């Protein structure tokens, strides 16, 4: 059996650039020691939901040909949604800045507050919809009546 290719190529330059950016930010935040703020969490949430979408598509295309790796990708997809949910919750528990006003909870009916509240809540609602669509069984018609 031939080994899987693991060499670095230019096949995915944008993913490598995003990874390099996250590594840089991690090193920088380690040296400054600054706590997270709402803008920081909004950008991080954007990365997590972007990865969530990518893993969803990779799982869908991988699973038919390779069921075991496809299941692992699907599980990673679910875990990323959970991570994004926790970042979203952290965003709303941080003190509001004067620019965004007080918004202790995410309320889709009051999303007129503008960025970053608007963007993070919209992304969270969209990713939640996608995960429910994937994990909730569809109704396949009426169930047969039970007999006693």
């Amino acid at each position: 059996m031939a080994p899987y290719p693991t060499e670095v190529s230019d096949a995915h330059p944008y993913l490598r650039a995003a990874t390099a950016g996250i590594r840089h930010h991690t090193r920088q935040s380690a040296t400054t020691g600054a706590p997270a703020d709402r803008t920081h969490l909004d950008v991080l949430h954007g990365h997590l939901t972007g990865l969530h979408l990518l893993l969803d598509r990779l799982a869908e295309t991988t699973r038919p040909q390779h069921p075991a790796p496809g299941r692992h990708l699907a599980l990673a997809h679910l875990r990323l949604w959970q991570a994004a949910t926790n970042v979203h919750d952290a965003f709303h528990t941080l003190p509001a800045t004067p620019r965004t006003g007080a918004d202790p909870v995410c309320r889709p009916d009051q999303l007129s507050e503008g960025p970053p509240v608007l963007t993070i809540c919209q992304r969270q609602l969209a990713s939640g919809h996608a995960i429910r669509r994937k994990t909730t069984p569809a109704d396949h018609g009426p169930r047969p009546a039970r007999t006693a």
Side-chain angles (χ1 to χ4, degrees), residues 41-80:
L41 293 181
D42 181 47
V43 172
L44 182 59
H45 188 269
H47 280 285
L48 288 171
T49 54
L51 284 171
H52 177 259
L53 180 61
L54 176 61
L55 278 176
D56 180 36
R57 291 188 178 151
L58 289 173
E60 287 293 316
T61 58
T62 303
R63 200 172 218 168
Q65 297 170 355
H66 307 285
R71 282 191 300 274
H72 286 291
L73 290 173
L75 185 58
H77 168 253
L78 176 63
R79 297 290 189 251
L80 272 174

Side-chain angles (χ1 to χ4, degrees), residues 15-32:
L15 285 175
R16 280 198 312 283
T19 302
I22 290 173
R23 283 185 190 144
H24 172 76
H25 183 74
T26 301
R27 283 190 303 270
Q28 185 179 17
S29 66
T31 59
T32 62

Side-chain angles (χ1 to χ4, degrees), residues 21-143:
I22 290 173
R23 283 185 190 144
H24 172 76
H25 183 74
T26 301
R27 283 190 303 270
Q28 185 179 17
S29 66
T31 59
T32 62
D37 60 10
R38 289 180 139 211
T39 304
H40 181 196
L41 293 181
D42 181 47
V43 172
L44 182 59
H45 188 269
H47 280 285
L48 288 171
T49 54
L51 284 171
H52 177 259
L53 180 61
L54 176 61
L55 278 176
D56 180 36
R57 291 188 178 151
L58 289 173
E60 287 293 316
T61 58
T62 303
R63 200 172 218 168
Q65 297 170 355
H66 307 285
R71 282 191 300 274
H72 286 291
L73 290 173
L75 185 58
H77 168 253
L78 176 63
R79 297 290 189 251
L80 272 174
W81 176 71
Q82 292 170 335
T85 298
N86 286 320
V87 169
H88 176 257
D89 292 345
F91 175 91
H92 284 294
T93 56
L94 275 175
T97 59
R99 185 173 64 92
T100 59
D103 59 337
V105 295
C106 178
R107 289 186 260 167
D109 58 331
Q110 296 180 357
L111 287 178
S112 61
E113 296 165 315
V117 175
L118 176 64
T119 56
I120 194 169
C121 292
Q122 282 182 332
R123 279 193 310 266
Q124 186 62 27
L125 291 171
S127 65
H129 174 73
I131 201 77
R132 281 189 299 279
R133 186 174 32 92
K134 296 279 182 184
T135 60
T136 305
D139 186 9
H140 296 288
R143 294 185 180 148

